[in-house]
C-alpha cells in the first residue's frame, strides 16, 4: 500500500478513497474535477442511521496540509445541506497548526498512515 500511494494521480487518490469508503458500506459520489466544487466525494450511509460525509482529498507527495488548506474547506458544510461530518484526507501529513485548526472546526483529518491502515483493512 505504501508504494502504491506514491504512484497515484490526484484523481486516482480520490477514486481510491471512494473505494475504501464503499468497501466499508458507504455509497459514494465523486464530483468531476471540472465542476471543482471543492467537495471531492460525498459519502452516504442509510443504516443504522442516515449519515452524510463530505470528503476533501489532498494528494501531495511532499508538502504538508496547512491551516490555509483547512480554512478553505471549512465552508463545505454550508454548501451541502444535512452534512454530518467534513473529512480531509491527505496522502501526506498535516502541520500541527492544521491539525489544531481542524480539531477546533470539527473537521476530521486522515493522514497517509491512516489511509494505509484503511487499505490494509480492506485487503484482509
Amino acid at each position: 500500500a505504501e508504494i502504491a500511494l506514491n504512484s497515484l494521480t490526484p484523481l486516482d487518490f480520490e477514486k481510491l478513497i471512494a473505494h475504501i469508503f464503499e468497501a466499508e458500506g458507504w455509497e459514494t459520489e465523486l464530483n468531476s474535477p471540472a465542476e471543482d466544487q471543492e467537495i471531492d466525494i460525498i459519502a452516504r450511509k442509510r443504516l443504522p442511521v442516515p449519515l452524510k460525509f463530505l470528503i476533501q482529498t489532498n494528494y501531495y507527495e511532499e508538502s504538508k496540509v496547512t491551516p490555509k488548506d483547512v480554512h478553505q474547506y471549512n465552508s463545505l458544510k454550508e454548501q451541502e445541506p444535512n452534512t454530518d461530518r467534513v473529512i480531509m484526507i491527505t496522502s501526506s501529513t498535516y502541520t500541527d497548526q492544521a491539525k489544531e485548526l481542524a480539531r477546533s472546526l470539527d473537521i476530521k483529518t486522515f493522514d497517509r498512515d491512516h489511509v494505509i491502515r484503511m487499505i490494509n483493512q480492506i485487503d484482509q
Side-chain angles (χ1 to χ4, degrees):
E2 178 75 36
I3 297 139
L5 269 186
N6 294 340
S7 59
L8 299 178
T9 65
L11 185 60
D12 287 338
F13 183 65
E14 203 173 298
K15 288 177 179 167
L16 170 71
I17 298 302
H19 174 73
I20 290 170
F21 273 81
E22 284 166 10
E24 293 182 358
W26 293 80
E27 287 171 28
T28 63
E29 182 186 317
L30 270 76
N31 278 334
S32 71
E35 295 169 35
D36 201 27
Q37 301 168 336
E38 290 173 351
I39 300 165
D40 291 328
I41 303 165
I42 298 175
R44 292 184 177 86
K45 221 177 207 181
R46 302 208 184 330
L47 301 166
V49 290
L51 284 175
K52 180 171 166 188
F53 289 179
L54 303 183
I55 302 169
Q56 177 59 42
T57 60
N58 297 87
Y59 185 77
Y60 296 143
E61 284 178 36
E62 297 294 322
S63 55
K64 293 182 170 194
V65 178
T66 65
K68 186 173 164 264
D69 298 315
V70 175
H71 259 303
Q72 206 179 333
Y73 303 121
N74 186 33
S75 62
L76 291 184
K77 260 188 177 160
E78 281 73 70
Q79 290 180 32
E80 195 61 42
N82 309 318
T83 295
D84 295 293
R85 168 156 278 167
V86 174
I87 305 174
M88 287 181 75
I89 303 180
T90 185
S91 55
S92 67
T93 56
Y94 297 84
T95 65
D96 290 342
Q97 295 93 331
K99 278 192 220 161
E100 196 106 328
L101 179 63
R103 243 195 318 270
S104 71
L105 296 171
D106 199 26
I107 296 173
K108 197 141 182 55
T109 55
F110 294 179
D111 64 8
R112 179 185 189 85
D113 291 343
H114 192 117
V115 172
I116 290 169
R117 280 197 306 274
M118 290 168 83
I119 294 169
N120 292 337
Q121 279 175 333
I122 292 173
D123 286 345
Q124 284 163 13

